[in-house]
Amino acid sequence: MYAKCNKIMKQLAILGSTGSIGTQTLDVVRQHPEEFSVYALSAHRSIDLLIKQALEFNPAVVCIADETYYRPLCDALSDLPIRVLAGEKALLEMVTMPAIDVVVAAMVGYAGLRPTMEAIRAGKTIALANKETLVVAGEIICQLAQRYHTPILPVDSEHSAIFQSLVGENIADVEKLLLTASGGPFRTFSLEQMQSVTSEQALRHPNWEMGAKITIDSASMMNKGFEVIEARWLFDIPVEKIQVLVHPQSVVHSAVQFVDGSVKAQLGTPDMRIPIQYALTYPERWHNDVARLDLFTTQSLTFEEPDLQRFPNLVLSYEAIRRGGNMPCVLNAANEIVNLAFRQGKCGFLQMSDIIAKTMDKVHFVAEPNYETYVETDDVARRIAKELLTTNNYK
Ligand code: MG
């Protein structure tokens, strides 16, 4: 055993610190106050929680994306030596600050793309929770990470499980990635029942406590579709080698099948602090107080194939990544629109996939997009999805 006393304190920047992953990252920091220090925090607009976090963790800098909260944030922190920033440009500047070692990218959606790109360029280790970044622009992100020798460590529980199963292995020896999915709250619903489900029902996830956007994505299995794309880029593996398995107990967090027939999996309680901590301590493992998996009381583990008829988002995701180019970006943009519309009661559950499919048909395909193409595609796809929502009078 090596003593931890020689360890240099890691300075963290947590983007999206008031969200589900952000608050759990701070929980991990609380358990390891000698090893982690919070250098920077950012939030979209949850100012009260951001202030509370700043008072507790005393970061050097905080940033609020929504500039209307700049004054009140300054006022609340005026007695402390904390630099206060606001707006997207300031966030891009913040992630490149020299003292930062690790950037935890935990913002929601497309908004995570630019700051993550800047952090990669600045050579910061990325603990990536924002899967949309890889869905939208996986190719660019991977090229950047290679060019700047920036490690991207997965926070997503499935990808952490695969990553952990691959330690000491050669990626060329992988036959298949087995990506598990809980199946969400509608796993056993009929197509007819799914027609009329409400966002309240969709927000009740059986196993994981998460933010609202990802919980809806989980219920529609768009989250799993995104994770297929995320895995394709993170592990540089053809999408044909990624298989989704519905595993309602969420005990096996994912697995890897190798060319010799061996399968390695990572198991644990469904607690995001495990993968978050692993991303922060890799290649080491540190002790924590997270509840242990008790195999004696664990119910039997079951695995089933996903129903592609009831969960067409999986089909759309495979189609988007197979076509490549700007298609995954369209998939993500349309999904962000319908996900919000569904939460606001403006779109039915099954109509979400309809609109995404139609948006994918309508947006001009670009085989080799650059960053500007992604920005334009995102914009156009959102507009088309919104038009479809209103003209088709969904719901
Ligand atoms: Mg996941």
Side-chain angles (χ1 to χ4, degrees):
M1 270 302 273
Y2 293 101
K4 279 191 192 159
C5 50
N6 307 336
K7 203 159 276 151
I8 301 163
M9 197 179 237
K10 275 191 196 177
Q11 305 265 9
L12 310 183
I14 304 171
L15 314 184
S17 69
T18 56
S20 173
I21 297 293
T23 52
Q24 293 183 85
T25 304
L26 289 170
D27 242 3
V28 172
V29 173
R30 272 188 204 102
Q31 291 211 17
H32 304 281
E34 307 290 317
E35 288 89 1
F36 296 126
S37 153
V38 177
Y39 187 86
L41 293 173
S42 86
H44 182 41
R45 60 163 75 99
S46 300
I47 181 174
D48 293 338
L49 184 52
L50 184 63
I51 292 167
K52 225 175 123 203
Q53 294 175 339
L55 294 175
E56 181 183 349
F57 291 93
N58 202 23
V61 47
V62 296
C63 183
I64 186 101
D66 186 334
E67 293 176 44
T68 54
Y69 293 97
Y70 176 64
R71 268 286 129 222
L73 186 58
C74 287
D75 292 345
L77 302 175
S78 60
D79 292 342
L80 297 162
I82 298 177
R83 204 173 143 201
V84 178
L85 303 172
E88 207 215 323
K89 249 180 100 184
L91 183 64
L92 300 181
E93 185 195 315
M94 187 182 89
V95 296
T96 66
M97 288 179 177
I100 297 168
D101 300 307
V102 183
V103 170
V104 180
M107 311 78 94
V108 178
Y110 176 80
L113 179 58
R114 261 314 279 290
T116 307
M117 286 173 69
E118 288 310 310
I120 293 173
R121 282 199 186 96
K124 310 298 184 193
T125 297
I126 311 290
L128 188 71
N130 176 266
K131 67 192 76 184
E132 291 90 340
T133 292
L134 283 177
V135 171
V136 171
E139 203 156 5
I140 288 186
I141 293 288
C142 290
Q143 284 164 0
L144 273 181
Q146 243 180 356
R147 190 186 317 156
Y148 292 92
H149 306 287
T150 305
I152 299 180
L153 303 171
V155 166
D156 212 345
S157 62
E158 295 80 357
H159 303 75
S160 178
I162 291 167
F163 184 61
Q164 293 183 51
S165 302
L166 285 172
V167 169
E169 302 289 351
N170 189 340
I171 195 81
D173 295 334
V174 172
E175 204 163 65
K176 234 189 218 184
L177 301 183
L178 302 167
L179 195 70
T180 52
S182 73
F186 308 137
R187 182 176 60 89
T188 57
F189 278 43
S190 69
L191 203 54
E192 212 181 353
Q193 285 173 304
M194 283 166 79
Q195 230 132 34
S196 55
V197 292
T198 63
S199 76
E200 288 74 32
Q201 285 172 287
L203 284 168
R204 269 181 246 132
H205 195 278
N207 305 339
W208 295 95
E209 285 277 348
M210 304 177 288
K213 196 252 174 189
I214 187 172
T215 306
I216 299 301
D217 284 345
S218 257
S220 68
M221 287 196 84
M222 180 50 91
N223 182 55
K224 209 48 57 180
F226 283 172
E227 289 183 354
V228 169
I229 300 174
E230 187 186 7
R232 184 262 170 271
W233 294 117
L234 269 177
F235 306 110
D236 191 19
I237 202 139
V239 71
E240 293 72 26
K241 290 188 173 185
I242 307 171
Q243 184 176 12
V244 173
L245 293 85
V246 175
H247 167 50
Q249 298 83 19
S250 296
V251 170
V252 176
H253 295 312
S254 278
V256 179
Q257 180 179 312
F258 295 94
V259 288
D260 63 351
S262 281
V263 176
K264 278 167 82 176
Q266 185 258 348
L267 284 69
T269 50
D271 189 321
M272 283 309 293
R273 289 171 300 178
I274 298 175
I276 291 169
Q277 181 175 305
Y278 191 71
L280 298 180
T281 66
Y282 172 81
E284 296 175 17
R285 286 192 189 273
W286 295 359
H287 178 269
N288 65 23
D289 296 333
V290 170
R292 273 27 180 176
L293 177 65
D294 181 353
L295 286 171
F296 292 108
T297 56
T298 303
Q299 46 195 316
S300 55
L301 304 180
T302 60
F303 300 89
E304 57 199 62
E305 274 192 51
D307 182 340
L308 301 180
Q309 206 201 346
R310 286 184 304 126
F311 297 100
N313 283 348
L314 271 180
V315 180
L316 294 173
S317 301
Y318 272 98
E319 188 193 320
I321 188 68
R322 270 198 199 107
R323 288 178 70 188
N326 61 342
M327 268 307 120
C329 177
V330 176
L331 178 84
N332 177 71
N335 181 62
E336 286 196 26
I337 296 300
V338 293
N339 179 306
L340 181 66
F342 175 68
R343 278 182 277 153
Q344 294 173 336
K346 294 176 186 162
C347 173
F349 188 76
L350 294 175
Q351 277 89 49
M352 288 197 286
S353 306
D354 275 1
I355 292 179
I356 295 166
K358 284 190 179 133
T359 308
M360 282 169 68
D361 284 343
K362 282 177 182 253
V363 176
H364 177 65
F365 178 66
V366 182
E368 284 176 25
N370 55 25
Y371 177 72
E372 284 68 36
T373 325
Y374 286 128
V375 174
E376 203 195 321
T377 298
D378 180 76
D379 195 52
V380 172
R382 279 168 201 268
R383 195 155 28 82
I384 292 175
K386 277 184 196 163
E387 274 167 22
L388 286 166
L389 260 174
T390 42
T391 53
N392 289 357
N393 198 16
Y394 278 112
K395 188 75 189 176

